[in-house]
Amino acid sequence: MADGRTRRIADLRVGDQIIGTEVVGSYRRYVATDVRAHWSTRKLGYTVRLQDGTELVASGDHRFLTGRGWKHVTGTTAGRDRRPHLTTNDSMLGFGKTSETPKATDGYRRGYLTGMVRGDADLKRYATTRRNGQRGVLHRFRLALADVEALDRSQQMLAEEGIRTDRFDFSPQTEVRQAITAIRTQRRGDFERITELVAWPERLTDEWRRGFLAGVFDAEGSRSAGILRIANCDEEMLSRTEEAFSAFGFDTVREDRHRPGGLQYVRLRGGLREHMRFIHLVDPAIRRKCAVAGIAITSDADLRVASVEPTGVEMPMYDITTGTGDFIANGVVSHNCFARKTHEWLELDSGADFDQEIVVKTNIADVLRRELSRPSWKREHVALGTNTDPYQRAEGRYRLMPGVIEALARSGTPFSILTKGTLARRDLPLLAAASKDVPIGMGVSLAIWDDDLHRSLEPGVPTPRARLELVRQIVDAGLPCGVFLAPVLPGLTDQREHLEKAIAAVAAAGATGVTVVPLHLRPGAREWFTAWLSREHPGWSAGTSRSTAAVPTCPRSTATGCRPGSPRCWLPTGWTGTAGERPAASAGCPATRRRPSRSGRCPVRPSSSSPWTGPSSCRCADRGSGAAGG
């Protein structure tokens, strides 16, 4: 947490302040960030063990920051599952092993009060002379602190021991000093009870030591500039502090700077690694002394990967989205899980970042011209829009596509564009002119035909009817234009009536081809899309989401019209075509990741005189479009 405490990921809530990281200048540093989303899923677990004893349980898709960059827990060096993954040659970044703070006990309470009262309180008897001339004794306990967290804890602990104290303003705030608040009691019985509580125990326990270190650190400790130390003038206090540190395996050094009154320091060695172990072990009340924000991520902790082993069982996995795109988990830097691949590469998450953060490559045309001029460039087909729509709203401001189209056409490079943005109408004259020099294909994605469902699932995206009008204008400009019905949503848009209506409208718009892509959700899109389903369509989520969320490929049983063992699907009357041929507009489509057929013909063509006589290709997209549209 941002205050130095620990909490299970399962117990986090949106709005909680935690620690992430951020590159500042030449260094990655710890910074405070907030939890913006929290969700759970079930996945096969893996246990990652580090050399310092840290154990992490995560899914194979989770990523951790190493000295060699972000690494998944599992992966391969070749084939489809090739990706950077952890090996025993990797070392993670962070401050190392942490532990959950033990609960306070009676021994901890007495130790804390001993460290606090002996460190900073006034507990004395004073001889007095009363007005009648009789001599008496004044019993005074007073504790004055600038940090009310420690004062609150002390007052509460005293109350638990049956000691009532009064609170008052000790001194006001000035330009150079904080306001100080105090508690006090002058009752003889309370005074004697406090004296008894803070007496040095005959037998020391670890619980008493934990409390004592927390109390004396709150009273006389400091932590700044990478140094944690406790100051005092009393030799017994200094010796007791050293003994308590030593009992828990901490390495300390006594610093005597020959200050007035014999002031000396006990300094804790070991850097941030030991600072955080101390903080988590003893749980000081003053949290400003426990923060790590602003500190560079350097540590002598041995965070080399010792092993990565499967647990053999699926288990609940919890993940969060943060403002920085990462967070500290058990002392190491952990990435937001399940992010879509492109946002992972940018170290952004799949939640708020995917909705709000758009990275614009303003020099794309210049870079593209340079790459196209390389002798090694063989004029292969370039597919635009298979991952990021080139005609989203930002293009209206930056006008990058004209330069891209010009660079591709001048270099003799054939290309295709897949979009759902009606802004493409702006460049139709340029595209039509370029088509005289190089083959060009256009594609428009259309996920939903129902207006209400469209507004819920694709807010801010042009309506289906606006996209069909775009198809008409592309065809009128003399360019081939295929339509991608993607994704087909099981239980929502896979009804025969819905598809017949959508495909008939596509045919009427003059599309030169259609490709039907069933829903397919990779981790990232999967968790966010199923969360949306649970909220907006609870019946669907309860009935069929398990089969969709459990596997990385679209189940044939949920792909409408797809027969087991065949990638083909039905089309309504009015269409004809031959199986296996691909539309030019779908070149480079993520549905197949194959090059376009040399014939350039589409699998299905509109016909007003004959019924559909053959099947068309129906493939599962390799990337889930889900809530983002096809």
Side-chain angles (χ1 to χ4, degrees):
M1 306 299 290
D3 63 1
R5 291 189 171 95
T6 61
R7 187 182 301 175
R8 298 190 312 159
I9 296 178
D11 297 332
L12 291 175
R13 295 294 179 265
V14 173
D16 284 344
Q17 293 294 302
I18 63 173
I19 292 296
T21 74
E22 185 176 78
V23 176
V24 181
S26 302
Y27 297 95
R28 181 180 290 272
R29 297 182 180 274
Y30 299 105
V31 296
T33 186
D34 61 321
V35 177
R36 298 184 177 180
H38 181 278
W39 69 92
S40 65
T41 186
R42 293 189 65 85
K43 287 197 166 209
L44 177 65
Y46 290 83
T47 300
V48 181
R49 293 183 176 88
L50 307 183
Q51 292 291 353
D52 76 335
T54 298
E55 285 197 3
L56 305 148
V57 178
S59 73
D61 294 317
H62 199 95
R63 292 197 298 163
F64 294 97
L65 185 59
T66 74
R68 301 177 179 180
W70 292 102
K71 296 286 188 76
H72 293 272
V73 171
T74 62
T76 62
T77 57
R80 183 175 180 178
D81 294 328
R82 179 182 178 184
R83 63 185 182 184
H85 62 280
L86 295 176
T87 71
T88 53
N89 292 323
D90 289 314
S91 182
M92 293 190 187
L93 299 185
F95 48 75
K97 186 177 180 179
T98 62
S99 60
E100 188 173 356
T101 301
K103 294 182 179 180
T105 62
D106 289 345
Y108 178 89
R109 180 171 62 247
R110 291 196 174 199
Y112 184 86
L113 290 173
T114 301
M116 174 59 70
V117 173
R118 285 183 173 272
D120 207 23
D122 180 17
L123 183 67
K124 292 181 180 179
R125 293 185 177 92
Y126 297 91
T128 63
T129 303
R130 298 172 183 170
R131 291 181 179 179
N132 60 7
Q134 292 183 346
R135 302 179 66 85
V137 177
L138 174 65
H139 300 82
R140 178 195 288 175
F141 164 75
R142 184 180 67 200
L143 176 63
L145 298 171
D147 294 280
V148 295
E149 298 159 299
L151 195 67
D152 289 342
R153 178 182 289 189
S154 299
Q155 189 172 31
Q156 175 63 32
M157 286 182 168
L158 289 171
E160 291 170 357
E161 294 289 344
I163 301 167
R164 182 174 64 84
T165 57
D166 301 315
R167 181 173 293 215
F168 65 99
D169 294 332
F170 185 79
S171 64
Q173 181 177 350
T174 68
E175 293 182 357
V176 296
R177 185 171 296 181
Q178 292 178 270
I180 297 178
T181 307
I183 57 174
R184 64 186 172 191
T185 181
Q186 295 184 171
R187 287 177 286 273
R188 179 178 177 179
D190 290 340
F191 177 90
E192 291 178 348
R193 178 59 178 152
I194 294 172
T195 302
E196 177 186 346
L197 286 172
V198 303
W200 297 117
E202 295 181 2
R203 178 176 173 272
L204 298 178
T205 66
D206 284 348
E207 285 302 295
W208 184 91
R209 291 186 179 100
R210 283 183 54 238
F212 175 74
L213 286 174
V216 73
F217 181 68
D218 280 343
E220 299 287 351
S222 64
R223 179 170 167 266
S224 62
I227 298 174
L228 187 155
R229 59 190 180 187
I230 295 171
N232 209 278
C233 298
D234 182 74
E235 176 59 32
E236 186 165 17
M237 282 289 289
L238 292 166
S239 297
R240 296 275 186 173
T241 301
E242 289 174 319
E243 189 280 333
F245 270 126
S246 178
F248 293 113
F250 290 107
D251 182 21
T252 61
V253 61
R254 179 84 71 94
E255 295 178 339
D256 186 354
R257 301 186 179 182
H258 307 289
R259 297 287 180 86
L263 181 66
Q264 297 182 49
Y265 302 91
V266 177
R267 176 167 60 84
L268 176 62
R269 290 172 167 172
L272 185 60
R273 167 178 54 85
E274 290 294 84
H275 290 194
M276 298 312 295
R277 185 165 79 88
F278 169 79
I279 289 167
H280 295 152
L281 175 69
V282 309
D283 189 29
I286 302 175
R287 303 316 296 185
R288 66 175 175 81
K289 299 180 182 181
C290 306
V292 299
I295 298 175
I297 302 181
T298 57
S299 174
D300 61 353
D302 190 355
L303 302 182
R304 293 174 296 161
V305 175
S307 64
V308 179
E309 299 175 353
T311 62
V313 295
E314 284 193 355
M315 56 182 61
M317 296 284 180
Y318 296 89
D319 193 32
I320 57 177
T321 295
T322 69
T324 58
D326 61 9
F327 56 97
I328 305 303
N330 208 7
V332 297
V333 184
S334 170
H335 203 284
N336 288 174
C337 304
F338 314 122
R340 294 172 186 168
K341 297 300 182 185
T342 49
H343 263 46
E344 284 185 0
W345 298 335
L346 298 172
E347 298 188 7
L348 299 173
D349 64 76
S350 63
D353 283 349
F354 193 83
D355 292 340
Q356 301 171 10
E357 300 287 342
I358 298 176
V359 179
V360 180
K361 301 177 182 179
T362 56
N363 64 337
I364 186 172
D366 294 334
V367 174
L368 182 60
R369 291 187 192 99
R370 184 171 66 248
E371 295 297 318
L372 294 174
S373 65
R374 293 179 181 273
S376 59
W377 177 241
K378 304 303 182 183
R379 308 298 185 267
E380 293 95 342
H381 184 102
V382 173
L384 304 173
T386 60
N387 191 71
T388 301
D389 196 322
Y391 284 107
Q392 56 185 289
R393 292 181 178 180
E395 171 60 17
R397 174 180 177 181
Y398 292 97
R399 298 183 64 86
L400 302 174
M401 279 299 290
V404 171
I405 294 168
E406 181 183 13
L408 291 169
R410 285 191 175 184
S411 69
T413 300
F415 64 95
S416 61
I417 298 174
L418 176 62
T419 183
K420 61 169 66 73
T422 54
L423 182 60
R425 292 179 299 195
R426 181 198 67 193
D427 293 339
L428 287 180
L430 183 60
L431 288 165
S435 68
K436 298 177 182 178
D437 300 320
V438 295
I440 295 177
M442 296 292 292
V444 174
S445 64
L446 183 64
I448 301 164
W449 187 248
D450 179 82
D451 288 337
D452 292 336
L453 187 58
H454 160 74
R455 283 191 292 268
S456 175
L457 188 57
E458 296 183 308
V461 177
T463 66
R465 287 169 177 77
R467 281 180 261 179
L468 286 178
E469 180 59 30
L470 174 62
V471 172
R472 293 188 185 93
Q473 293 175 340
I474 292 172
V475 174
D476 289 344
L479 298 168
C481 183
V483 170
F484 287 77
L485 288 179
V488 176
L489 307 175
L492 294 178
T493 64
D494 64 345
Q495 299 88 351
R496 189 180 187 93
E497 179 183 357
H498 181 102
L499 290 174
E500 285 182 339
K501 186 176 181 181
I503 295 175
V506 169
T512 54
V514 64
T515 299
V516 181
V517 184
L519 175 66
H520 173 78
L521 297 174
R522 287 283 182 183
R526 177 187 303 163
E527 285 71 27
W528 285 90
F529 185 69
T530 53
W532 174 85
L533 281 172
S534 299
R535 183 176 67 254
E536 300 292 337
H537 299 276
W540 188 98
S541 178
T544 61
S545 64
R546 180 171 177 80
S547 63
T548 303
V551 294
T553 58
C554 177
R556 288 193 177 97
S557 61
T558 62
T560 300
C562 292
R563 299 188 297 274
S566 170
R568 298 173 176 177
C569 67
W570 59 266
L571 286 175
T573 301
W575 289 77
T576 181
T578 54
E581 296 178 352
R582 303 284 312 286
S586 65
C589 169
T592 61
R593 289 188 176 177
R594 295 182 179 179
R595 293 184 180 180
S597 64
R598 293 186 180 275
S599 66
R601 292 179 292 174
C602 59
V604 289
R605 298 180 182 277
S607 171
S608 59
S609 59
S610 61
W612 172 74
T613 58
S616 72
S617 297
C618 175
R619 305 177 185 270
C620 292
D622 191 57
R623 294 197 181 188
S625 40

